[in-house]
Amino acid sequence: MSIAHTILAFVISFVVSQIADWIFAGVLFHHKYQETPEIWRASVKGRGERRGIAIAALFAAISVAALMWLMAHLEVATYGGALRLAVAIWLIAALSVTANNAVFIRIHPMNAVSHAAGWLVKLAAASLIIEYFLGLG
């Protein structure tokens, strides 16, 4: 696996992850966020969103890098294996955290479902992109 392929896999996975985040956590059911305005920080209510977006992007980059490392470490060798890993991570971490947040934090159920679906899409897309570019198999 070449450095160029590694960088390309990272950049494309990161961009796709950001687009999925924007769609599933920002666009879909956006109006439902207005039903619970008290849970959002003032900086996220239209003023100074850049800092929050930058922090979220940093965590997305860390997630993509960690997924790349895990796939290489586990020697994921097929697209099916990549998808199974993505679903496993989703079930173990993303779905669990999202569902727990929905239970204990006042957020509209459609936003919680959208966030959970977004995580599945991000993980699946990133794992397939990584498999394609790194040809771990």
Side-chain angles (χ1 to χ4, degrees), residues 12-22 60-61 63-64 122 125-126 129:
I12 293 173
S13 294
F14 174 76
V15 169
V16 168
S17 175
Q18 292 298 101
I19 291 169
D21 237 2
W22 174 69
S63 294
V64 169
K122 289 189 300 188
I129 291 165

Side-chain angles (χ1 to χ4, degrees), residues 53-65:
I53 291 169
I55 292 169
L58 173 64
F59 283 111
I62 291 168
S63 294
V64 169

Side-chain angles (χ1 to χ4, degrees), residues 2-85:
S2 74
I3 286 289
H5 283 151
T6 301
I7 292 170
L8 202 52
F10 175 82
V11 169
I12 293 173
S13 294
F14 174 76
V15 169
V16 168
S17 175
Q18 292 298 101
I19 291 169
D21 237 2
W22 174 69
I23 291 169
F24 285 93
V27 174
L28 292 178
F29 312 112
H30 184 74
H31 62 284
K32 298 293 185 186
Y33 289 117
Q34 303 311 315
E35 294 182 20
T36 57
E38 68 279 3
I39 67 167
W40 303 105
R41 294 181 187 273
S43 63
V44 182
K45 292 180 185 174
R47 298 185 317 254
E49 288 184 12
R50 287 190 180 120
R51 182 175 184 271
I53 291 169
I55 292 169
L58 173 64
F59 283 111
I62 291 168
S63 294
V64 169
L67 181 60
M68 290 176 73
W69 174 85
L70 183 62
M71 288 178 68
H73 181 72
L74 295 176
E75 298 179 3
V76 175
T78 64
Y79 291 116
L83 281 176
R84 284 190 296 277
L85 180 61

Side-chain angles (χ1 to χ4, degrees), residues 103-133:
V103 169
F104 291 103
I105 298 171
R106 191 168 173 249
I107 187 170
H108 194 280
M110 292 309 297
N111 291 121
V113 168
S114 185
H115 288 199
W119 267 106
L120 182 58
V121 169
K122 289 189 300 188
L123 287 164
S127 67
L128 292 174
I129 291 165
I130 293 164
E131 178 64 32
Y132 177 80
F133 281 100

